[in-house]
Amino acid sequence: MNDISPHSGPGTGTEPMLGTGCRAETAHTFAVHGTRLHYWTAGTATAPLVVLTHGAGADHRMFDPQIPALLAAGYRTLRWDVHHHGLSTSRTRRFRIADAADDLRALLTTCPEPWPVVLLGQSIGGYIAQEYLRRHPEDVAALVVIGSTSSTLPVTRGERARLALSLPLLRLMPYDRLADRMADAAAWTPQARAHLREAFRRMGRRAFLTVWEGVTRTLTEDPEYRIDKPQLLLCGEYDGVGTVKASMQRWNRRDPHSELRVLPDAGHVANLDAPVMVNQMIVDFLSGLKTHAG
């Protein structure tokens, strides 16, 4: 057994304001698949690595409250702007979760001794983390998911139809109005809503609809699939996005190595709505991790 927990204990520092970033981070770029990906790293090179992947319409800044807590607890962090998000802009009209997982694999090969890693994903970041885990289970020590459905659990015909219809409906709505509605639906606190409104507007209509078209193709039902890695599933009490709450409950029942926590006074972006509580849950989970070597 290899202990992937750090030797230092969790810190209790003050959370940073959203959008300020973290001065301890180093910015990088990496060219892959016609896009220059932007990513940020921090922490000691020998520390366990936590890789953070944001949700649709957001960018790496959505994890501003998490980075100081993870660093104080002795972890190394890597967060990135997924293709079409933030600084990782692209002229292509294509987005697929599988491609994003490939992008992440290529990016991680540039890191010193990254394996095994802890994957942390919010919303579609959770889909990317799941896809990466399916393709490269040997790379992953554990999975932390915030407000995301399982991409492999069976879905009803109605759920699949609603997902397919979502794209043409989104195309009909003026983008500023769409950005406001998405922010209000995803976040519970005024600060988190303001953060998401700015991120959605920064992303722009074309990029968002390109990404959402890829999201509608995400589900790959596999009733026999199980995840045999430790998992922390975090869901906001007021997460009303799609079927996230119900799916995470089913996911927890399916995988015996999973732990589901429901956060009060939080929505789909629980890490922004309730950052202190989320940080403590993540650090507690990581501190207890032990995983098989290789």
Side-chain angles (χ1 to χ4, degrees):
M1 301 287 284
N2 282 348
D3 186 356
I4 70 165
S5 299
H7 297 293
S8 58
T12 58
T14 302
E15 305 292 353
M17 292 297 291
L18 293 177
T20 61
C22 178
R23 293 181 181 178
E25 291 183 298
T26 301
H28 313 264
T29 63
F30 181 73
V32 62
H33 299 150
T35 296
R36 184 159 291 278
L37 296 175
H38 289 251
Y39 66 102
W40 294 259
T41 59
T44 306
T46 57
L49 178 61
V50 180
V51 180
L52 303 96
T53 305
H54 60 78
D59 55 46
H60 74 283
R61 296 173 301 161
M62 82 172 309
F63 295 117
D64 278 357
Q66 279 68 61
I67 300 301
L70 288 168
L71 294 178
Y75 294 93
R76 184 166 45 127
T77 61
L78 183 153
R79 54 176 171 165
W80 61 306
D81 282 347
V82 178
H83 200 121
H84 293 290
H85 295 78
L87 297 179
S88 299
T89 57
S90 174
R91 295 182 179 180
T92 69
R93 289 279 190 162
R94 175 184 168 89
F95 177 84
R96 295 290 184 271
I97 295 296
D99 292 343
D102 287 342
D103 288 348
L104 181 56
R105 185 56 153 73
L107 189 156
L108 285 176
T109 61
T110 70
C111 297
E113 302 179 4
W115 321 115
V117 303
V118 174
L119 298 180
L120 187 158
Q122 193 277 329
S123 197
I124 72 160
Y127 290 149
I128 294 169
Q130 290 175 72
E131 184 64 22
Y132 188 107
L133 175 58
R134 290 183 70 195
R135 294 175 176 226
H136 309 287
E138 69 282 357
D139 291 356
V140 181
L143 182 66
V144 179
V145 173
I146 304 169
S148 183
T149 63
S150 167
S151 59
T152 53
L153 279 170
V155 297
T156 67
R157 188 173 299 177
E159 289 170 339
R160 189 173 291 277
R162 284 191 292 274
L163 183 60
L165 284 171
S166 64
L167 182 61
L169 292 175
L170 292 177
R171 283 175 173 155
L172 293 173
M173 191 176 298
Y175 189 68
D176 281 349
R177 181 183 174 194
L178 177 60
D180 288 342
R181 291 191 62 175
M182 290 188 300
D184 290 345
W188 186 251
T189 64
Q191 185 184 23
R193 287 176 177 173
H195 174 86
L196 290 182
R197 287 192 189 98
E198 188 277 333
F200 284 132
R201 285 183 166 83
R202 182 181 185 184
M203 183 179 190
R205 175 186 176 84
R206 173 178 169 175
F208 179 80
L209 293 177
T210 296
V211 169
W212 196 257
E213 191 271 338
V215 170
T216 64
R217 300 171 181 266
T218 295
L219 301 179
T220 52
E221 294 183 42
D222 186 351
E224 303 304 316
Y225 180 70
R226 300 291 185 275
I227 298 175
D228 63 357
K229 307 286 186 178
Q231 303 154 70
L232 176 63
L233 309 179
L234 300 177
C235 182
E237 176 187 7
Y238 300 115
D239 191 335
V241 173
T243 59
V244 168
K245 286 183 70 174
S247 178
M248 295 193 91
Q249 291 168 353
R250 292 171 60 206
W251 185 345
N252 178 233
R253 290 194 296 268
R254 180 192 70 180
D255 290 342
H257 300 288
S258 67
E259 174 185 348
L260 174 64
R261 295 290 188 91
V262 178
L263 291 105
D265 298 323
H268 187 57
V269 289
N271 61 300
L272 293 179
D273 285 326
V276 175
M277 189 179 301
V278 166
N279 292 349
Q280 190 61 59
M281 289 180 178
I282 292 172
V283 169
D284 287 347
F285 171 74
L286 296 180
S287 296
L289 276 182
K290 290 183 181 295
T291 186
H292 291 289

